[in-house]
Amino acid sequence: MNPATGRPVEVELKFRVVDLAAAERYLVAETIGPFGDGTAARATQLEDRYVDTAGGALTRAGFAVRLRQSGRDTIVSVKSLARTSGPGGALRREELEGPADRTAGPLEWPASDARSLVLELAGDAPLVELVTIRQLRRKRIVRDGETRVELSLDEVDVVVRSRVVDRFVELEAELVKGDEGRLADLAEVFAADPALTSERGSKLEAALAAVRAVDGPHLHPALVATLGTVAASSDAAIDSAAPAEPDARPVDAPSPPADETPPPAADHLEIVPSSSDALDEAAEAAAVPDAHLAVGRSPGVTADDHVAEAARKVMRFHLARMLAREAGVRTGHDLEDVHAMRVATRRQRAAWRVFGAAFRPGRTKRYRNGLREIAGRLGAVRDLDVLIDAADRYRSDLPTAEQRALEPLLADWRTHRDDARVLLVRELDSDGFRRWVDDYRDFVRTEGAAVRPVGPVEPHRIRDTTASRVWAAYEHVRGYEAVLRWADVETLHELRIAGKWLRYTLEFVREALGDEAGPLIARVTALQDHLGLMNDADVAASMARTFLVEHAGDLSPLENAAIGRYLVNRERDVTRLRRGVGPAWRGVAGIGFRRSLGRVVARL
């Protein structure tokens, strides 16, 4: 316990493993120095997601926040970035832990000191994922009298946007109970072992260094803020002998930056996963731009734009992002390329729905048809990527026999995914697609092309037409209020689509609407993401059921039972998410949202 703050303190030794086979002997050794009477090693799969606000508020306050998924349980850990040295070079730092939820934001977590500190530092600002660390952990307890130490051997994968960017192995010895001075005896044993080298940094620091080496100047802004602060905090902590560690932001400290100020009456705080738009935009921006399309950092729609030219700006912006991902989609090295190309394609199709009436339909039909075709090919691959990734996470913490019993289902999905990828690449290679791209690129670059004539008094500017579009889209969302309590999965999926069109209607004119539009879009996105997770679980359950029906005679009893349990797990997730839609719904349907929406639209 830190006497200055009253918070628990983690005390551990850390070593980087040079020779895995040699280090594994510590998992079975009867004695390690004076420590013995150890338990048998147990293996578990862990997924750690490190999160922060877009402006790095948690890091700047001196803390790293980790969401750990192990089986069905999610734990939030809030760790001090500053560290002091203990016996044998052990690292000491504050750590708070509490229960959390993988999909919900901190306001929805059970009460704990860790949750309270996150809310104090982040307020209502959305949390974005910085980096994911997946690890196979094999751990045991060793004892020396009343002192107990947890010894763990961790095989670590650093993952960013579905890519493994680094792998390493660490040996950790964490004090569970007793005299921390006894860690010096373990440190002496480990320091003499050529299979180990002393490690002073955290796994987060190693992961961030790997991300920086891979992504360079294209890092997400939250990662940029975190990299600098983590490095500074780490260096200062190790060099300093002072035991004091950073506390939460004092009462008289400055308020968070303007972009992190919570909207009025906020009642939901979402964690934006790496697959959502907060990191989608960073991923798309990292791609090589199309040489024929000069675009800025945003579409640049203004209130005085003609509706058709505003649409053209949006289409040009997202076409550039779509084409920038084409090379990566062809190679297939990074699953995120398919995701980002699909996102850009969806935005263009949405722009046609929102603004399409401003164009002559006969002269633009081929552009809409081409987008629909490529979107279908991308969606077939991406949907299976999502299914396979979720199933892999589900089975990661299962016994080996159970993991193997699920393989027939996963192998079938991978086969379908590979077939869909063949069709996607074939479409990209076709002469028809190349001609469509050339034609469509000319269209989005040519002002006035295919614009429907308007009369002198017909509303045709963004400032004159946006209000009705926004309120019409919002009315479609509010229409579900009467049936929400009894809505089935299909109806809630339709609500998700209605929310998507409201979100896109706001996003396309975000710059014209002003800064207050951002929190509104975030709330609509939270509803859409919640319903999207429910839909993903429902699709997985349906496909698992179909597989069991079609292949029951080919499966062993163990395989039938394991796939059946996965089906039940997905159905339970559907039920849980269906029951939990309330907070996300209230964030969009409440009076606070309506008032803010009215103020935003009135500015036009």
PDB file of all heavy atoms in Angstrom, residues 564-598:
ATOM      1  N   GLY A 564     -21.951 -26.874 -30.264  1.00  0.00           N
ATOM      2  CA  GLY A 564     -23.231 -26.559 -29.633  1.00  0.00           C
ATOM      3  C   GLY A 564     -23.071 -25.582 -28.481  1.00  0.00           C
ATOM      4  O   GLY A 564     -23.898 -24.672 -28.309  1.00  0.00           O
ATOM      5  N   ARG A 565     -22.023 -25.747 -27.690  1.00  0.00           N
ATOM      6  CA  ARG A 565     -21.789 -24.800 -26.589  1.00  0.00           C
ATOM      7  C   ARG A 565     -21.451 -23.411 -27.112  1.00  0.00           C
ATOM      8  O   ARG A 565     -21.844 -22.401 -26.521  1.00  0.00           O
ATOM      9  CB  ARG A 565     -20.669 -25.328 -25.686  1.00  0.00           C
ATOM     10  CG  ARG A 565     -21.108 -26.441 -24.752  1.00  0.00           C
ATOM     11  CD  ARG A 565     -20.031 -26.793 -23.747  1.00  0.00           C
ATOM     12  NE  ARG A 565     -18.933 -27.533 -24.343  1.00  0.00           N
ATOM     13  CZ  ARG A 565     -18.899 -28.855 -24.467  1.00  0.00           C
ATOM     14  NH1 ARG A 565     -19.910 -29.588 -24.033  1.00  0.00           N
ATOM     15  NH2 ARG A 565     -17.855 -29.466 -25.007  1.00  0.00           N
ATOM     16  N   TYR A 566     -20.718 -23.362 -28.227  1.00  0.00           N
ATOM     17  CA  TYR A 566     -20.434 -22.051 -28.827  1.00  0.00           C
ATOM     18  C   TYR A 566     -21.726 -21.398 -29.319  1.00  0.00           C
ATOM     19  O   TYR A 566     -21.930 -20.191 -29.130  1.00  0.00           O
ATOM     20  CB  TYR A 566     -19.457 -22.213 -29.991  1.00  0.00           C
ATOM     21  CG  TYR A 566     -19.178 -20.919 -30.726  1.00  0.00           C
ATOM     22  CD1 TYR A 566     -18.516 -19.869 -30.090  1.00  0.00           C
ATOM     23  CD2 TYR A 566     -19.584 -20.741 -32.046  1.00  0.00           C
ATOM     24  CE1 TYR A 566     -18.262 -18.675 -30.755  1.00  0.00           C
ATOM     25  CE2 TYR A 566     -19.334 -19.552 -32.711  1.00  0.00           C
ATOM     26  CZ  TYR A 566     -18.678 -18.525 -32.062  1.00  0.00           C
ATOM     27  OH  TYR A 566     -18.443 -17.348 -32.715  1.00  0.00           O
ATOM     28  N   LEU A 567     -22.599 -22.191 -29.928  1.00  0.00           N
ATOM     29  CA  LEU A 567     -23.896 -21.675 -30.366  1.00  0.00           C
ATOM     30  C   LEU A 567     -24.679 -21.098 -29.190  1.00  0.00           C
ATOM     31  O   LEU A 567     -25.228 -19.983 -29.275  1.00  0.00           O
ATOM     32  CB  LEU A 567     -24.686 -22.813 -31.029  1.00  0.00           C
ATOM     33  CG  LEU A 567     -26.195 -22.617 -31.255  1.00  0.00           C
ATOM     34  CD1 LEU A 567     -26.460 -21.415 -32.135  1.00  0.00           C
ATOM     35  CD2 LEU A 567     -26.798 -23.871 -31.860  1.00  0.00           C
ATOM     36  N   VAL A 568     -24.731 -21.819 -28.087  1.00  0.00           N
ATOM     37  CA  VAL A 568     -25.452 -21.339 -26.900  1.00  0.00           C
ATOM     38  C   VAL A 568     -24.812 -20.063 -26.368  1.00  0.00           C
ATOM     39  O   VAL A 568     -25.507 -19.119 -25.960  1.00  0.00           O
ATOM     40  CB  VAL A 568     -25.482 -22.432 -25.812  1.00  0.00           C
ATOM     41  CG1 VAL A 568     -26.028 -21.876 -24.498  1.00  0.00           C
ATOM     42  CG2 VAL A 568     -26.325 -23.616 -26.272  1.00  0.00           C
ATOM     43  N   ASN A 569     -23.474 -20.004 -26.375  1.00  0.00           N
ATOM     44  CA  ASN A 569     -22.776 -18.803 -25.909  1.00  0.00           C
ATOM     45  C   ASN A 569     -23.152 -17.587 -26.745  1.00  0.00           C
ATOM     46  O   ASN A 569     -23.388 -16.492 -26.216  1.00  0.00           O
ATOM     47  CB  ASN A 569     -21.272 -19.036 -25.968  1.00  0.00           C
ATOM     48  CG  ASN A 569     -20.457 -17.807 -25.627  1.00  0.00           C
ATOM     49  OD1 ASN A 569     -20.120 -17.014 -26.514  1.00  0.00           O
ATOM     50  ND2 ASN A 569     -20.146 -17.626 -24.354  1.00  0.00           N
ATOM     51  N   ARG A 570     -23.212 -17.746 -28.068  1.00  0.00           N
ATOM     52  CA  ARG A 570     -23.596 -16.636 -28.946  1.00  0.00           C
ATOM     53  C   ARG A 570     -25.048 -16.217 -28.696  1.00  0.00           C
ATOM     54  O   ARG A 570     -25.365 -15.022 -28.703  1.00  0.00           O
ATOM     55  CB  ARG A 570     -23.422 -17.043 -30.403  1.00  0.00           C
ATOM     56  CG  ARG A 570     -22.001 -17.348 -30.845  1.00  0.00           C
ATOM     57  CD  ARG A 570     -21.127 -16.121 -30.893  1.00  0.00           C
ATOM     58  NE  ARG A 570     -20.581 -15.783 -29.579  1.00  0.00           N
ATOM     59  CZ  ARG A 570     -20.051 -14.624 -29.276  1.00  0.00           C
ATOM     60  NH1 ARG A 570     -20.016 -13.653 -30.169  1.00  0.00           N
ATOM     61  NH2 ARG A 570     -19.559 -14.394 -28.082  1.00  0.00           N
ATOM     62  N   GLU A 571     -25.926 -17.183 -28.471  1.00  0.00           N
ATOM     63  CA  GLU A 571     -27.324 -16.852 -28.204  1.00  0.00           C
ATOM     64  C   GLU A 571     -27.461 -16.095 -26.886  1.00  0.00           C
ATOM     65  O   GLU A 571     -28.283 -15.176 -26.771  1.00  0.00           O
ATOM     66  CB  GLU A 571     -28.161 -18.123 -28.184  1.00  0.00           C
ATOM     67  CG  GLU A 571     -28.340 -18.753 -29.562  1.00  0.00           C
ATOM     68  CD  GLU A 571     -29.112 -20.047 -29.507  1.00  0.00           C
ATOM     69  OE1 GLU A 571     -29.054 -20.739 -28.458  1.00  0.00           O
ATOM     70  OE2 GLU A 571     -29.766 -20.386 -30.514  1.00  0.00           O
ATOM     71  N   ARG A 572     -26.660 -16.470 -25.895  1.00  0.00           N
ATOM     72  CA  ARG A 572     -26.690 -15.749 -24.618  1.00  0.00           C
ATOM     73  C   ARG A 572     -26.200 -14.317 -24.792  1.00  0.00           C
ATOM     74  O   ARG A 572     -26.719 -13.393 -24.163  1.00  0.00           O
ATOM     75  CB  ARG A 572     -25.834 -16.487 -23.589  1.00  0.00           C
ATOM     76  CG  ARG A 572     -26.467 -17.766 -23.073  1.00  0.00           C
ATOM     77  CD  ARG A 572     -25.504 -18.521 -22.164  1.00  0.00           C
ATOM     78  NE  ARG A 572     -26.130 -19.708 -21.611  1.00  0.00           N
ATOM     79  CZ  ARG A 572     -25.461 -20.679 -20.979  1.00  0.00           C
ATOM     80  NH1 ARG A 572     -24.128 -20.581 -20.854  1.00  0.00           N
ATOM     81  NH2 ARG A 572     -26.090 -21.730 -20.504  1.00  0.00           N
ATOM     82  N   ASP A 573     -25.181 -14.142 -25.644  1.00  0.00           N
ATOM     83  CA  ASP A 573     -24.700 -12.785 -25.912  1.00  0.00           C
ATOM     84  C   ASP A 573     -25.786 -11.939 -26.585  1.00  0.00           C
ATOM     85  O   ASP A 573     -25.920 -10.751 -26.297  1.00  0.00           O
ATOM     86  CB  ASP A 573     -23.456 -12.830 -26.797  1.00  0.00           C
ATOM     87  CG  ASP A 573     -22.175 -12.824 -25.989  1.00  0.00           C
ATOM     88  OD1 ASP A 573     -22.268 -12.825 -24.747  1.00  0.00           O
ATOM     89  OD2 ASP A 573     -21.088 -12.825 -26.580  1.00  0.00           O
ATOM     90  N   VAL A 574     -26.523 -12.559 -27.497  1.00  0.00           N
ATOM     91  CA  VAL A 574     -27.625 -11.833 -28.140  1.00  0.00           C
ATOM     92  C   VAL A 574     -28.622 -11.375 -27.087  1.00  0.00           C
ATOM     93  O   VAL A 574     -29.058 -10.208 -27.082  1.00  0.00           O
ATOM     94  CB  VAL A 574     -28.323 -12.725 -29.190  1.00  0.00           C
ATOM     95  CG1 VAL A 574     -29.589 -12.042 -29.705  1.00  0.00           C
ATOM     96  CG2 VAL A 574     -27.386 -13.015 -30.354  1.00  0.00           C
ATOM     97  N   THR A 575     -28.988 -12.269 -26.180  1.00  0.00           N
ATOM     98  CA  THR A 575     -29.951 -11.927 -25.131  1.00  0.00           C
ATOM     99  C   THR A 575     -29.409 -10.825 -24.229  1.00  0.00           C
ATOM    100  O   THR A 575     -30.117  -9.860 -23.886  1.00  0.00           O
ATOM    101  CB  THR A 575     -30.274 -13.172 -24.294  1.00  0.00           C
ATOM    102  OG1 THR A 575     -30.822 -14.185 -25.159  1.00  0.00           O
ATOM    103  CG2 THR A 575     -31.274 -12.847 -23.198  1.00  0.00           C
ATOM    104  N   ARG A 576     -28.140 -10.958 -23.840  1.00  0.00           N
ATOM    105  CA  ARG A 576     -27.541  -9.941 -22.960  1.00  0.00           C
ATOM    106  C   ARG A 576     -27.515  -8.570 -23.625  1.00  0.00           C
ATOM    107  O   ARG A 576     -27.879  -7.562 -23.012  1.00  0.00           O
ATOM    108  CB  ARG A 576     -26.118 -10.372 -22.591  1.00  0.00           C
ATOM    109  CG  ARG A 576     -25.340  -9.342 -21.775  1.00  0.00           C
ATOM    110  CD  ARG A 576     -23.934  -9.837 -21.466  1.00  0.00           C
ATOM    111  NE  ARG A 576     -23.157 -10.059 -22.664  1.00  0.00           N
ATOM    112  CZ  ARG A 576     -22.501  -9.099 -23.313  1.00  0.00           C
ATOM    113  NH1 ARG A 576     -22.552  -7.843 -22.886  1.00  0.00           N
ATOM    114  NH2 ARG A 576     -21.795  -9.383 -24.396  1.00  0.00           N
ATOM    115  N   LEU A 577     -27.081  -8.523 -24.869  1.00  0.00           N
ATOM    116  CA  LEU A 577     -26.982  -7.242 -25.570  1.00  0.00           C
ATOM    117  C   LEU A 577     -28.365  -6.663 -25.865  1.00  0.00           C
ATOM    118  O   LEU A 577     -28.553  -5.443 -25.833  1.00  0.00           O
ATOM    119  CB  LEU A 577     -26.186  -7.426 -26.861  1.00  0.00           C
ATOM    120  CG  LEU A 577     -24.693  -7.706 -26.663  1.00  0.00           C
ATOM    121  CD1 LEU A 577     -24.068  -8.293 -27.921  1.00  0.00           C
ATOM    122  CD2 LEU A 577     -23.961  -6.435 -26.253  1.00  0.00           C
ATOM    123  N   ARG A 578     -29.329  -7.527 -26.129  1.00  0.00           N
ATOM    124  CA  ARG A 578     -30.692  -7.049 -26.366  1.00  0.00           C
ATOM    125  C   ARG A 578     -31.251  -6.399 -25.106  1.00  0.00           C
ATOM    126  O   ARG A 578     -31.891  -5.349 -25.174  1.00  0.00           O
ATOM    127  CB  ARG A 578     -31.569  -8.234 -26.794  1.00  0.00           C
ATOM    128  CG  ARG A 578     -33.005  -7.870 -27.117  1.00  0.00           C
ATOM    129  CD  ARG A 578     -33.774  -9.109 -27.508  1.00  0.00           C
ATOM    130  NE  ARG A 578     -35.192  -8.864 -27.630  1.00  0.00           N
ATOM    131  CZ  ARG A 578     -36.103  -9.810 -27.760  1.00  0.00           C
ATOM    132  NH1 ARG A 578     -35.718 -11.076 -27.792  1.00  0.00           N
ATOM    133  NH2 ARG A 578     -37.377  -9.516 -27.871  1.00  0.00           N
ATOM    134  N   ARG A 579     -30.992  -7.004 -23.958  1.00  0.00           N
ATOM    135  CA  ARG A 579     -31.471  -6.429 -22.700  1.00  0.00           C
ATOM    136  C   ARG A 579     -30.725  -5.156 -22.332  1.00  0.00           C
ATOM    137  O   ARG A 579     -31.249  -4.298 -21.623  1.00  0.00           O
ATOM    138  CB  ARG A 579     -31.313  -7.452 -21.576  1.00  0.00           C
ATOM    139  CG  ARG A 579     -32.271  -8.639 -21.677  1.00  0.00           C
ATOM    140  CD  ARG A 579     -31.954  -9.674 -20.612  1.00  0.00           C
ATOM    141  NE  ARG A 579     -32.885 -10.786 -20.648  1.00  0.00           N
ATOM    142  CZ  ARG A 579     -32.731 -11.914 -19.951  1.00  0.00           C
ATOM    143  NH1 ARG A 579     -31.661 -12.064 -19.172  1.00  0.00           N
ATOM    144  NH2 ARG A 579     -33.625 -12.875 -20.034  1.00  0.00           N
ATOM    145  N   GLY A 580     -29.483  -5.035 -22.804  1.00  0.00           N
ATOM    146  CA  GLY A 580     -28.655  -3.898 -22.409  1.00  0.00           C
ATOM    147  C   GLY A 580     -28.678  -2.724 -23.353  1.00  0.00           C
ATOM    148  O   GLY A 580     -27.830  -1.830 -23.264  1.00  0.00           O
ATOM    149  N   VAL A 581     -29.638  -2.676 -24.278  1.00  0.00           N
ATOM    150  CA  VAL A 581     -29.667  -1.601 -25.263  1.00  0.00           C
ATOM    151  C   VAL A 581     -30.121  -0.273 -24.650  1.00  0.00           C
ATOM    152  O   VAL A 581     -29.885   0.797 -25.219  1.00  0.00           O
ATOM    153  CB  VAL A 581     -30.580  -1.991 -26.454  1.00  0.00           C
ATOM    154  CG1 VAL A 581     -32.047  -1.939 -26.050  1.00  0.00           C
ATOM    155  CG2 VAL A 581     -30.322  -1.108 -27.657  1.00  0.00           C
ATOM    156  N   GLY A 582     -30.740  -0.331 -23.466  1.00  0.00           N
ATOM    157  CA  GLY A 582     -31.326   0.866 -22.860  1.00  0.00           C
ATOM    158  C   GLY A 582     -30.409   2.060 -22.726  1.00  0.00           C
ATOM    159  O   GLY A 582     -30.747   3.169 -23.173  1.00  0.00           O
ATOM    160  N   PRO A 583     -29.210   1.910 -22.099  1.00  0.00           N
ATOM    161  CA  PRO A 583     -28.341   3.086 -21.921  1.00  0.00           C
ATOM    162  C   PRO A 583     -27.952   3.750 -23.233  1.00  0.00           C
ATOM    163  O   PRO A 583     -27.945   4.975 -23.346  1.00  0.00           O
ATOM    164  CB  PRO A 583     -27.121   2.502 -21.198  1.00  0.00           C
ATOM    165  CG  PRO A 583     -27.643   1.299 -20.484  1.00  0.00           C
ATOM    166  CD  PRO A 583     -28.689   0.729 -21.385  1.00  0.00           C
ATOM    167  N   ALA A 584     -27.610   2.939 -24.251  1.00  0.00           N
ATOM    168  CA  ALA A 584     -27.232   3.518 -25.541  1.00  0.00           C
ATOM    169  C   ALA A 584     -28.438   4.197 -26.196  1.00  0.00           C
ATOM    170  O   ALA A 584     -28.298   5.255 -26.819  1.00  0.00           O
ATOM    171  CB  ALA A 584     -26.678   2.429 -26.461  1.00  0.00           C
ATOM    172  N   TRP A 585     -29.621   3.613 -26.054  1.00  0.00           N
ATOM    173  CA  TRP A 585     -30.826   4.214 -26.616  1.00  0.00           C
ATOM    174  C   TRP A 585     -31.135   5.550 -25.944  1.00  0.00           C
ATOM    175  O   TRP A 585     -31.442   6.544 -26.605  1.00  0.00           O
ATOM    176  CB  TRP A 585     -32.008   3.265 -26.469  1.00  0.00           C
ATOM    177  CG  TRP A 585     -33.334   3.905 -26.762  1.00  0.00           C
ATOM    178  CD1 TRP A 585     -34.263   4.328 -25.865  1.00  0.00           C
ATOM    179  CD2 TRP A 585     -33.856   4.238 -28.055  1.00  0.00           C
ATOM    180  NE1 TRP A 585     -35.343   4.888 -26.508  1.00  0.00           N
ATOM    181  CE2 TRP A 585     -35.121   4.848 -27.851  1.00  0.00           C
ATOM    182  CE3 TRP A 585     -33.383   4.080 -29.356  1.00  0.00           C
ATOM    183  CZ2 TRP A 585     -35.903   5.294 -28.907  1.00  0.00           C
ATOM    184  CZ3 TRP A 585     -34.169   4.522 -30.407  1.00  0.00           C
ATOM    185  CH2 TRP A 585     -35.411   5.120 -30.180  1.00  0.00           C
ATOM    186  N   ARG A 586     -31.052   5.593 -24.617  1.00  0.00           N
ATOM    187  CA  ARG A 586     -31.361   6.840 -23.898  1.00  0.00           C
ATOM    188  C   ARG A 586     -30.390   7.951 -24.272  1.00  0.00           C
ATOM    189  O   ARG A 586     -30.744   9.132 -24.242  1.00  0.00           O
ATOM    190  CB  ARG A 586     -31.330   6.588 -22.386  1.00  0.00           C
ATOM    191  CG  ARG A 586     -32.501   5.756 -21.889  1.00  0.00           C
ATOM    192  CD  ARG A 586     -32.582   5.762 -20.377  1.00  0.00           C
ATOM    193  NE  ARG A 586     -31.464   5.068 -19.765  1.00  0.00           N
ATOM    194  CZ  ARG A 586     -31.435   3.768 -19.519  1.00  0.00           C
ATOM    195  NH1 ARG A 586     -32.458   3.004 -19.862  1.00  0.00           N
ATOM    196  NH2 ARG A 586     -30.389   3.213 -18.932  1.00  0.00           N
ATOM    197  N   GLY A 587     -29.148   7.575 -24.641  1.00  0.00           N
ATOM    198  CA  GLY A 587     -28.196   8.587 -25.060  1.00  0.00           C
ATOM    199  C   GLY A 587     -28.611   9.304 -26.325  1.00  0.00           C
ATOM    200  O   GLY A 587     -28.205  10.447 -26.564  1.00  0.00           O
ATOM    201  N   VAL A 588     -29.444   8.661 -27.161  1.00  0.00           N
ATOM    202  CA  VAL A 588     -29.898   9.255 -28.419  1.00  0.00           C
ATOM    203  C   VAL A 588     -31.317   9.779 -28.325  1.00  0.00           C
ATOM    204  O   VAL A 588     -31.663  10.788 -28.939  1.00  0.00           O
ATOM    205  CB  VAL A 588     -29.791   8.199 -29.556  1.00  0.00           C
ATOM    206  CG1 VAL A 588     -30.404   8.714 -30.851  1.00  0.00           C
ATOM    207  CG2 VAL A 588     -28.327   7.827 -29.787  1.00  0.00           C
ATOM    208  N   ALA A 589     -32.166   9.117 -27.520  1.00  0.00           N
ATOM    209  CA  ALA A 589     -33.581   9.488 -27.468  1.00  0.00           C
ATOM    210  C   ALA A 589     -33.894  10.498 -26.378  1.00  0.00           C
ATOM    211  O   ALA A 589     -35.010  11.024 -26.342  1.00  0.00           O
ATOM    212  CB  ALA A 589     -34.428   8.226 -27.257  1.00  0.00           C
ATOM    213  N   GLY A 590     -32.934  10.784 -25.485  1.00  0.00           N
ATOM    214  CA  GLY A 590     -33.197  11.666 -24.356  1.00  0.00           C
ATOM    215  C   GLY A 590     -33.326  13.127 -24.732  1.00  0.00           C
ATOM    216  O   GLY A 590     -32.923  13.570 -25.811  1.00  0.00           O
ATOM    217  N   ILE A 591     -33.837  13.902 -23.797  1.00  0.00           N
ATOM    218  CA  ILE A 591     -34.080  15.329 -24.034  1.00  0.00           C
ATOM    219  C   ILE A 591     -32.768  16.086 -24.233  1.00  0.00           C
ATOM    220  O   ILE A 591     -32.701  17.050 -25.011  1.00  0.00           O
ATOM    221  CB  ILE A 591     -34.886  15.940 -22.854  1.00  0.00           C
ATOM    222  CG1 ILE A 591     -35.250  17.387 -23.150  1.00  0.00           C
ATOM    223  CG2 ILE A 591     -34.116  15.823 -21.544  1.00  0.00           C
ATOM    224  CD1 ILE A 591     -36.195  17.550 -24.315  1.00  0.00           C
ATOM    225  N   GLY A 592     -31.700  15.630 -23.559  1.00  0.00           N
ATOM    226  CA  GLY A 592     -30.412  16.302 -23.726  1.00  0.00           C
ATOM    227  C   GLY A 592     -29.908  16.217 -25.151  1.00  0.00           C
ATOM    228  O   GLY A 592     -29.389  17.194 -25.701  1.00  0.00           O
ATOM    229  N   PHE A 593     -30.070  15.044 -25.774  1.00  0.00           N
ATOM    230  CA  PHE A 593     -29.648  14.884 -27.162  1.00  0.00           C
ATOM    231  C   PHE A 593     -30.484  15.765 -28.076  1.00  0.00           C
ATOM    232  O   PHE A 593     -29.951  16.436 -28.972  1.00  0.00           O
ATOM    233  CB  PHE A 593     -29.783  13.407 -27.571  1.00  0.00           C
ATOM    234  CG  PHE A 593     -29.292  13.114 -28.969  1.00  0.00           C
ATOM    235  CD1 PHE A 593     -27.998  12.678 -29.179  1.00  0.00           C
ATOM    236  CD2 PHE A 593     -30.120  13.278 -30.071  1.00  0.00           C
ATOM    237  CE1 PHE A 593     -27.537  12.399 -30.461  1.00  0.00           C
ATOM    238  CE2 PHE A 593     -29.684  13.010 -31.345  1.00  0.00           C
ATOM    239  CZ  PHE A 593     -28.379  12.565 -31.541  1.00  0.00           C
ATOM    240  N   ARG A 594     -31.796  15.785 -27.866  1.00  0.00           N
ATOM    241  CA  ARG A 594     -32.669  16.571 -28.748  1.00  0.00           C
ATOM    242  C   ARG A 594     -32.359  18.064 -28.664  1.00  0.00           C
ATOM    243  O   ARG A 594     -32.354  18.775 -29.678  1.00  0.00           O
ATOM    244  CB  ARG A 594     -34.140  16.318 -28.400  1.00  0.00           C
ATOM    245  CG  ARG A 594     -34.562  14.889 -28.653  1.00  0.00           C
ATOM    246  CD  ARG A 594     -36.081  14.758 -28.735  1.00  0.00           C
ATOM    247  NE  ARG A 594     -36.775  15.157 -27.524  1.00  0.00           N
ATOM    248  CZ  ARG A 594     -36.976  14.349 -26.485  1.00  0.00           C
ATOM    249  NH1 ARG A 594     -36.504  13.113 -26.512  1.00  0.00           N
ATOM    250  NH2 ARG A 594     -37.634  14.772 -25.429  1.00  0.00           N
ATOM    251  N   ARG A 595     -32.118  18.536 -27.461  1.00  0.00           N
ATOM    252  CA  ARG A 595     -31.794  19.960 -27.300  1.00  0.00           C
ATOM    253  C   ARG A 595     -30.478  20.295 -28.008  1.00  0.00           C
ATOM    254  O   ARG A 595     -30.364  21.319 -28.695  1.00  0.00           O
ATOM    255  CB  ARG A 595     -31.712  20.307 -25.821  1.00  0.00           C
ATOM    256  CG  ARG A 595     -33.069  20.401 -25.134  1.00  0.00           C
ATOM    257  CD  ARG A 595     -32.911  20.578 -23.635  1.00  0.00           C
ATOM    258  NE  ARG A 595     -34.194  20.787 -22.983  1.00  0.00           N
ATOM    259  CZ  ARG A 595     -34.381  20.724 -21.667  1.00  0.00           C
ATOM    260  NH1 ARG A 595     -33.333  20.462 -20.862  1.00  0.00           N
ATOM    261  NH2 ARG A 595     -35.587  20.928 -21.152  1.00  0.00           N
ATOM    262  N   SER A 596     -29.476  19.428 -27.815  1.00  0.00           N
ATOM    263  CA  SER A 596     -28.185  19.678 -28.471  1.00  0.00           C
ATOM    264  C   SER A 596     -28.326  19.620 -29.982  1.00  0.00           C
ATOM    265  O   SER A 596     -27.734  20.419 -30.712  1.00  0.00           O
ATOM    266  CB  SER A 596     -27.157  18.641 -27.999  1.00  0.00           C
ATOM    267  OG  SER A 596     -26.887  18.789 -26.625  1.00  0.00           O
ATOM    268  N   LEU A 597     -29.116  18.666 -30.469  1.00  0.00           N
ATOM    269  CA  LEU A 597     -29.327  18.549 -31.909  1.00  0.00           C
ATOM    270  C   LEU A 597     -30.010  19.801 -32.455  1.00  0.00           C
ATOM    271  O   LEU A 597     -29.646  20.315 -33.527  1.00  0.00           O
ATOM    272  CB  LEU A 597     -30.172  17.308 -32.214  1.00  0.00           C
ATOM    273  CG  LEU A 597     -30.359  16.956 -33.687  1.00  0.00           C
ATOM    274  CD1 LEU A 597     -29.008  16.630 -34.326  1.00  0.00           C
ATOM    275  CD2 LEU A 597     -31.305  15.771 -33.841  1.00  0.00           C
ATOM    276  N   GLY A 598     -30.980  20.318 -31.712  1.00  0.00           N
ATOM    277  CA  GLY A 598     -31.646  21.544 -32.140  1.00  0.00           C
ATOM    278  C   GLY A 598     -30.695  22.723 -32.219  1.00  0.00           C
ATOM    279  O   GLY A 598     -30.744  23.515 -33.164  1.00  0.00           O
TER     280      GLY A 598
END
